[in-house]
Amino acid sequence: MDIYGEILLDHFKNPRHLGLLKDGNILAEDLNPMCGDKVTVSLKVDDHGIIQNFGFLGNGCAISVASISLFGDKIIGQKLDDILQMSGEEAIKLLEIPISPGRVKCALLGFSCIKKAATLHKSKNN
Amino acid sequence: MNIIEIRKLFPIFENYPDLIYLDSASTTQKPQIVMNAESEFYQSYNANIHRGIYKLAEKADQIYANSRKIIANFCNAQENEIIFTKNATEGANLSAEIIAQNFVKGDIIVSTELEHHSNFLPWQEIARKNSLQFRVIKVKNNNGDFDDKDLELLKDKKVKLLAITGLSNVLGIKPDLKNIIKMAKENGVLIALDLAQASTNYQIDVKKLNCDFAFFTGHKLFGPMGTGWVYIKQNLAEKLNPYQFGGGMIKDLPNKWLDAPSKFEAGTPNVAGIYALSKSLKMMQEIGLENIIKYEKKLVKVCYEMFSKFSEIEIYGPTNENQFSNLLSFEIKNIHSHDVASIFAEDNICIRAGHHCAKPLMNRLKVNALARVSFSIYNQESDIEKLEKSIKKAINIFK
Ligand SMILES: Cc1ncc(COP(=O)(O)O)c(C=O)c1O
């Protein structure tokens, strides 16, 4: 299995959505229990619960950084509620890159942080 | 030591001829004799211990007692000073629970930044629960030396116990136990030693070390997972109360405990596992611990020299050959250690990467994660040649 393919390396070396949003309305932080790498995400969500923009900060392994970058591409334009419904397995599928079981936590670091942000937003608005 | 013969003792290499296992500091591979011993117990001696009155139970009792003798002998303890646990972590938790009953509010427990979480968190927690103070001796450099001023803390009359490792699972260094323990003992401080890594790296003599508690784990000594032991010095064990209650530990109701070790071993123990562990220690004795250590150090030296050829590699740990152990931690510049491990894994090379359950040390070294290779008797120099190829590959991918 060739994990370190072109797409992954490209998103690692040139991550999209790097930097927190100036006009974001949700912020969350999470860490990978395996190595202590930290990530912060910010989301801009409109009144209809649609994700308008996404940004992140943090440095970690290639898999975690590339995954966050890829997730960013996928979630913009999506409903926050749909993200909350999504399982880890579905999130991995969305990435379209091979992830070995030992690296699932790295690949899902960004996703779990986005989910955390979504949960925060929901509890604030309820 | 005949490496070809030794590899034949470990069936995993027959099942995976291409396996390059460089993670023995996490857990060693198991020799056939260990697996045989476990099944031999269940096939031929299976009965509960604790004074059964029939032949099979007597045999099981005898096997358990005899294993304790072998294990006591391994670390130069008396048999009644050996308490079986499921691993080193349980040994530390047991020790913390039973000794904290004797401390009073405000007493100080000291640990160090060099520790694996298993000799750090149990003490931190027991201190929190009992309103004791918990202090940590800082590490001052990548060589794992302690801050001299912090060591002075051991002279404080309030300090009651020092929890310290016999060998760092990250840096592979052995602290200056002789002098540190001497200093602590002069102030009446009890010593809790984590020997989980040390026990594969030098001959352990708990009497010479002058410790009060010491923890060991079987699975790093070629034994089964779920086996371990804690040494508790006899005159201390006599005074301490148990922390788990149930079968096999009481003389009379309501609270007349049996003597150690029984009072600390409530319930049915892992007799088959302990029996198998005694077989792995016997194997180590037959090969000769001196030979094992010498061989592993030689591999570390070869690996160290190979690492040194790469300007991209930073090694964490001793630079002096005399201080080498069976492990080396390192970083490849600009490549996260998890990615290093994944790339190696594609070539069947197994290493550990992450914080190694040693966050206080990682914070001190200012790293989130490190890669670590560790060697055992079944490794060979060709493993290091293959490792070198994979390093080049990793550097190339991330160029
Ligand atoms: C130095 C050290 N202490 C303690 C332990 C804990 O061993 P166990 O998980 O078997 O309890 C380890 C295991 O990695 C270790 O390296």
Side-chain angles (χ1 to χ4, degrees), chain A residues 1-5 8-9 63 98-100 103, chain B residues 18-20 338-351 386 390 393-394 397-398:
Chain A
M1 190 162 65
D2 194 10
I3 311 173
Y4 296 91
L8 184 137
L9 285 174
I63 292 187
I99 301 291
S100 70
R103 302 301 302 278
Chain B
D18 296 334
L19 181 69
I20 301 182
H338 278 164
D339 295 322
V340 171
S342 282
I343 291 167
F344 290 179
E346 288 177 356
D347 298 335
N348 281 322
I349 298 176
C350 315
I351 68 154
K386 287 177 186 144
S390 283
K393 184 170 132 189
I397 288 176
F398 280 88

Side-chain angles (χ1 to χ4, degrees), chain B residues 65-82 84 204-207 216 229 231 281 285:
Chain B
N66 197 41
S67 304
R68 199 187 299 273
K69 198 183 274 179
I70 292 168
I71 288 161
N73 183 45
F74 177 82
C75 58
N76 195 30
Q78 301 168 51
E79 285 148 57
N80 61 358
E81 294 175 316
I82 300 296
F84 290 122
I204 301 297
D205 182 330
V206 288
K207 301 292 170 204
F216 301 80
W229 73 97
Y231 156 82
L281 298 187
Q285 266 160 4

